[in-house]
Amino acid sequence: MDINSIQAIDIKVIPNRANIDDLKYISTGEDAVKINREEGKIIANSFKEGKSDIYVIDGKSNVKSNVITIKVIDKKAQALKKKKQQSIKSSKKITYVYISRTGSKYHSNKYCSHMRKPDKVDMKKAKAAGYTPCKKCY
Ligand SMILES: [Zn+2]
């Protein structure tokens, strides 16, 4: 389930004649998922990423219900994380261009315009220094 959401849980206690007031609601990962009873339904509230096993115990007979494992995922945070990783990747990618000391253009082809010993520079730096793309090779 997504973080900060509410979900009804289908949990059964066998025998189901157990007095509902004797039931204890157990969440093994209480900081991630809290369990409440609302109008006869068992409701899970998720607070943070994590895993929790949800079950019910009959306080009198110690009969345990089926166990439901809930995994809480912070979709927003994960999407952000992914985005961040992607932007790191793309910012690492450097495009090199060639500039000559006398010209005002940057080139993708170092043999363009008969340049003599052109300097290989980061395109961003060339742009920042006022160089514009060559019309022949860009
Ligand atoms: Zn060029």
Side-chain angles (χ1 to χ4, degrees):
M1 70 190 287
D2 198 8
I3 198 163
N4 296 322
S5 62
I6 293 167
Q7 187 183 308
I9 293 172
D10 184 26
I11 225 163
K12 289 178 192 84
V13 183
I14 298 164
N16 58 10
R17 59 187 149 81
N19 187 343
I20 203 158
D21 294 324
D22 292 331
L23 299 179
K24 285 181 199 157
Y25 299 89
I26 310 293
S27 169
T28 57
E30 267 230 299
D31 50 347
V33 182
K34 277 200 171 70
I35 300 301
N36 293 304
R37 205 179 76 205
E38 280 171 30
E39 293 165 6
K41 277 183 187 165
I42 298 162
I43 306 290
N45 281 275
S46 58
F47 293 97
K48 69 172 215 180
E49 285 198 301
K51 238 181 175 181
S52 182
D53 288 337
I54 310 297
Y55 56 93
V56 180
I57 288 179
D58 181 335
K60 274 185 185 164
S61 60
N62 269 332
V63 172
K64 198 171 147 185
S65 76
N66 56 319
V67 177
I68 293 173
T69 302
I70 292 183
K71 205 175 162 196
V72 180
I73 297 166
D74 192 338
K75 282 182 189 159
K76 264 188 204 162
Q78 290 202 343
L80 261 170
K81 212 172 156 190
K82 214 176 173 186
K83 223 176 172 184
K84 217 176 172 184
Q85 281 171 344
Q86 279 172 347
S87 71
I88 288 169
K89 247 187 200 169
S90 63
S91 69
K92 267 185 186 166
K93 202 179 156 196
I94 294 171
T95 305
Y96 287 105
V97 295
Y98 299 93
I99 56 172
S100 71
R101 264 154 237 179
T102 51
S104 61
K105 307 283 182 192
Y106 62 80
H107 307 264
S108 66
N109 179 356
K110 67 175 170 181
Y111 301 110
C112 180
S113 302
H114 308 289
M115 285 185 289
R116 276 185 206 168
K117 290 184 183 172
D119 290 325
K120 188 182 178 187
V121 298
D122 181 353
M123 186 200 268
K124 283 179 195 158
K125 283 177 187 164
K127 277 183 185 169
Y131 287 89
T132 54
C134 166
K135 277 173 190 157
K136 277 187 230 164
C137 60
Y138 263 103

